[in-house]
Amino acid sequence: MSGRRIFAAPARRAAIPPYVWMVLFFLVPFGFVLKISLSQTVIAQPPYLPVFGLSEGIAGLKASFAALSLDNFRLLVSDNLYLASYLRSVLVAVVSTLILLAVGYPIAYGMARLPRRWQGIAMMLVIVPFWTSFLIRIYAWINILQHDGLLNKVLLALHIVSTPVVWLSTDSAMYLGIVYSYLPFMILPLYATLAKQDPSLIEAAADLGVSRIDAFWLVTVPLSWRGVGAGALLCFIPIMGEFVIPDLLAGSNALMIGQTLWLEFFTNKDWPVASATAIVLLGLLLVPLLVYDRLQRRHLEAR
């Protein structure tokens, strides 16, 4: 009996629990959300119709399925509020991801070039501050950025500004909070990729007359694209649905889609529209995942 056949059955059995987990805790809840997104809003408990039940038999189930519609998705397309929320979320996620890449890449590169005994310490310095509660860290930024906060006191003491600057409730404060909160998610994949690169490749480039800067752009950066892609996805996807940071640090003149979801669920009690909003958001987030998967497959085929 071949080794492949010996390990085939145990490998299949080991794969069953993850698939069961995905079905129970992803596909089943997704099915409920999809059904609610096709329902109509009512003032009742639960706040939507139709409600599936077995008491009315097959005829009742057929009538319930017939009552489902795409009206909520049509509303999302026709209402500028939702379109603006989606566009703002995409813009904020793209800009934040680019800032995180610009900040995180040099840090990860420096960590990867440290002596081996210092790399673990550098990694701990990146991770340890984020063991503190997420909300506590965001509220700390509120205290720092407020009108009489630490930042304005330092700027006034150094005579950089003559009057306190308005930092809080601005997009700048929001981007600062997002970059601060998601920086480890960018640094760690980049560090894992850069630390595995063979230093002899840079030496070979230098032997061929390539400068250190050109070697960085021609050798290091192309070989780290997987870390860049992984870090970008780890940051872009949760930032798209971010609620806490924009709600606490940004102004209220433009909402991100996470804030719109919160308002529809908990303020307007419009579960069908909120569910449709979440479904569309999930569809948008699948696009970068599919692009990344396609690029990975092309890279493997090229090898």
Side-chain angles (χ1 to χ4, degrees):
M1 183 180 293
S2 66
R4 179 175 296 180
R5 290 186 177 181
I6 293 175
F7 291 104
R12 292 195 188 99
R13 286 195 294 269
I16 292 175
Y19 282 110
V20 173
W21 178 276
M22 289 291 292
V23 170
L24 291 178
F25 297 101
F26 178 76
L27 290 181
V28 172
F30 176 78
F32 286 126
V33 174
L34 180 60
K35 183 266 169 187
I36 295 174
S37 70
L38 299 173
S39 304
Q40 289 80 43
T41 305
V42 294
I43 302 175
Q45 187 63 33
Y48 55 85
L49 284 176
V51 178
F52 288 173
L54 299 178
S55 59
E56 299 179 0
I58 301 299
L61 288 177
K62 289 182 178 179
S64 297
F65 275 108
L68 299 178
S69 68
L70 297 172
D71 291 342
N72 297 314
F73 292 95
R74 296 189 186 99
L75 174 64
L76 298 183
V77 176
S78 60
D79 196 325
N80 291 332
L81 171 65
Y82 303 103
L83 294 176
S85 297
Y86 282 119
L87 291 175
R88 176 168 169 79
S89 297
V90 172
L91 176 63
V92 170
V94 169
V95 173
S96 299
T97 302
L98 292 176
I99 296 173
L100 283 162
L101 181 60
V103 175
Y105 201 104
I107 297 175
Y109 183 81
M111 290 171 57
R113 295 299 180 267
L114 286 174
R116 183 68 61 178
R117 65 180 183 275
W118 293 106
Q119 291 184 10
I121 297 175
M123 185 180 297
M124 290 297 295
L125 292 175
V126 171
I127 297 174
V128 165
F130 295 87
W131 291 355
T132 310
S133 170
F134 173 74
L135 278 176
I136 291 176
R137 288 186 278 116
I138 298 303
Y139 276 108
W141 275 111
I142 293 177
N143 291 329
I144 293 171
L145 299 175
Q146 64 187 0
H147 187 267
D148 56 346
L150 179 62
L151 180 58
N152 275 327
K153 288 181 179 179
V154 171
L155 294 176
L156 290 171
L158 296 175
H159 301 288
I160 297 177
V161 296
S162 57
T163 58
V165 181
V166 177
W167 299 104
L168 203 56
S169 298
T170 63
D171 285 353
S172 299
M174 177 188 65
Y175 284 117
L176 180 61
I178 290 175
V179 171
Y180 169 77
S181 300
Y182 287 94
L183 190 58
F185 297 102
M186 180 63 75
I187 291 176
L188 295 180
L190 287 171
Y191 165 74
T193 303
L194 292 169
K196 293 178 182 178
Q197 290 188 8
D198 190 353
S200 62
L201 296 175
I202 303 298
E203 296 176 2
D207 293 338
L208 294 173
V210 179
S211 65
R212 296 182 63 179
I213 296 178
D214 290 339
F216 173 79
W217 288 109
L218 296 175
V219 178
T220 303
V221 172
L223 291 177
S224 63
W225 77 267
R226 287 191 176 184
V228 172
L233 287 178
L234 286 174
C235 295
F236 179 85
I237 290 175
I239 291 173
M240 272 285 294
E242 182 62 54
F243 164 74
V244 175
I245 297 175
D247 194 61
L248 294 178
L249 297 181
S252 58
N253 54 347
L255 299 178
M256 290 182 63
I257 198 63
Q259 296 166 285
T260 304
L261 272 171
W262 174 274
L263 290 174
E264 293 294 351
F265 265 117
F266 298 103
T267 302
N268 300 336
K269 305 296 182 183
D270 196 340
W271 289 20
V273 171
S275 299
T277 306
I279 295 293
V280 174
L281 176 61
L282 179 61
L284 289 176
L285 294 178
L286 286 175
V287 174
L289 287 173
L290 294 175
V291 171
Y292 181 71
D293 180 68
R294 190 67 175 270
L295 292 175
Q296 273 199 319
R297 293 192 179 191
R298 285 186 178 181
H299 179 72
L300 292 174
E301 292 174 357
R303 294 177 62 183

